[in-house]
Amino acid sequence: MATLTLIDTVPCANLLGEGVQWNHHDGCFWWTDIPSSRLYRYRISDKQLSTWDMPERLCCFTFAKNDARILAAFESGFAWFDIASGAVEWIAKPEEGVAGNRSNDGRCDRQGRFWMGTTVEQKNTPEQSAALYCLDQQFSVSKHFSGLMISNALCWSPDSRKLYHADSPTHSIRVYDFDAQTGELSNPEIFAHTEIGVEPDGACVDAEGFVWNAQWGGSRVVRYAPDGTKNLVLDMPVSQATCVAFGGNDFNLLAVTSARIGLSDAAITQQPQAGNLFIFQTDFTGLPEAWFG
């Protein structure tokens, strides 16, 4: 029987914690609180929490192999961000002309390309939708599909042959055949469903190829087998789990971000830890986060 033990809670009280990932160079979990326009870093060795204010809402980000700056997907697009100086170097704003949309969930594939999906925050036209974009090493942006509302759960199988993705309001995670060389997607299939009122949010894949998905409104993280069957449910003390990542020296620590945005005063009284970061010791092993470049 697999065990997951809560070993640390970071009392950050995020409005919408997202994008958590492990940096194997500095031994820290990093994540963003989107509405607060703030970047977080937590060093597990001495429990030191650091924060940085961002020039606009930081929706997801990645580290780079050959650049000390963070490659950010701010609300309005891709940019380099220098933590030390605060300097921003814009790369591309793929939805600059779409009022009401912003960047959302994203991460790098194992070939070093940075993917980011958008979300519709305010629908101004009937045909308005979100999409999934890829920024390659030549800083060229490609759109891979549109018609979305909230792009989420982006992750890849260990062999890079499958891409997982969710449009959260559809209550389903899809799996695609992924061409690692070209980045092209094909043959979409339903991988897993969530019930009404529970939406798939951020996800990651462990070393066995199982998909871990934080489920908004479900008070849980679910581990799915590669065939889409439910393997394990990790109950959370908060209703809005948002993203998951493995880290630690042995990649056996699972970090889970959460949110308190949208909760009533009564709900926050019932779940006072909403918005915190939770770290679990597990019997499972994750994979190193891929970096850009």
Side-chain angles (χ1 to χ4, degrees):
M1 186 76 174
T3 59
L4 293 94
T5 305
L6 181 64
I7 61 169
D8 202 359
T9 302
V10 182
C12 47
N14 293 156
L15 286 173
L16 180 56
E18 279 285 6
V20 65
Q21 58 192 279
W22 174 256
N23 184 314
H24 56 275
H25 284 180
D26 63 14
C28 297
F29 281 111
W30 293 70
W31 70 99
T32 177
D33 184 6
I34 297 176
S36 299
S37 302
R38 191 167 292 143
L39 176 67
Y40 285 76
R41 182 186 70 190
Y42 184 69
R43 191 163 59 208
I44 60 173
S45 61
D46 60 2
K47 301 182 182 297
Q48 182 183 53
L49 179 66
S50 304
T51 65
W52 292 266
D53 291 327
M54 297 289 104
E56 62 177 58
R57 289 181 294 174
L58 177 64
C59 304
C60 64
F61 62 94
T62 187
F63 300 102
K65 298 173 185 175
N66 301 305
D67 200 306
R69 296 175 294 178
I70 284 175
L71 181 55
F74 288 115
E75 62 182 276
S76 56
F78 295 107
W80 288 108
F81 180 76
D82 190 319
I83 289 180
S85 68
V88 179
E89 180 185 335
W90 287 101
I91 298 168
K93 298 181 177 182
E95 292 189 350
E96 189 172 18
V98 186
N101 279 20
R102 68 160 171 82
S103 304
N104 201 47
D105 180 64
R107 62 167 15 101
C108 273
D109 64 26
R110 294 187 177 82
Q111 291 68 46
R113 295 167 292 226
F114 185 34
W115 295 68
M116 175 271 291
T118 56
T119 182
V120 179
E121 282 194 311
Q122 181 177 344
K123 193 158 187 168
N124 297 305
T125 64
E127 65 275 8
Q128 184 175 343
S129 66
L132 180 67
Y133 298 91
C134 176
L135 179 73
D136 67 19
Q137 292 89 338
Q138 289 72 48
F139 303 104
S140 174
V141 178
S142 55
K143 180 191 283 191
H144 286 262
F145 43 76
S146 58
L148 307 174
M149 289 303 292
I150 306 176
S151 180
N152 254 321
L154 190 67
C155 54
W156 286 263
S157 61
D159 61 7
S160 295
R161 296 178 62 182
K162 299 290 183 182
L163 176 147
Y164 301 93
H165 178 266
D167 185 9
S168 294
T170 67
H171 303 97
S172 62
I173 303 171
R174 291 180 180 268
V175 59
Y176 297 79
D177 288 338
F178 182 70
D179 187 320
Q181 183 174 356
T182 66
E184 290 302 315
L185 313 176
S186 59
N187 302 322
E189 295 180 355
I190 297 294
F191 175 71
H193 284 291
T194 59
E195 62 268 31
I196 300 299
V198 177
E199 296 187 0
D201 207 326
C204 69
V205 174
D206 65 24
E208 296 177 77
F210 285 59
V211 177
W212 294 73
N213 180 243
Q215 301 199 337
W216 180 278
S219 305
R220 69 194 183 209
V221 172
V222 178
R223 184 185 194 236
Y224 293 100
D227 64 1
T229 56
K230 194 178 291 186
N231 172 261
L232 178 150
V233 175
L234 170 61
D235 292 321
M236 298 292 299
V238 295
S239 61
Q240 297 175 165
T242 56
C243 197
V244 288
F246 279 95
N249 293 334
D250 299 319
F251 287 95
N252 62 349
L253 302 181
L254 181 74
V256 185
T257 48
S258 65
R260 58 174 44 213
I261 195 168
L263 296 177
S264 66
D265 291 343
I268 290 177
T269 299
Q270 291 178 338
Q271 44 180 303
Q273 296 190 86
N276 290 345
L277 177 80
F278 304 90
I279 301 176
F280 296 85
Q281 180 86 42
T282 81
D283 293 334
F284 304 98
T285 304
L287 295 167
E289 195 76 32
W291 288 12
F292 181 79

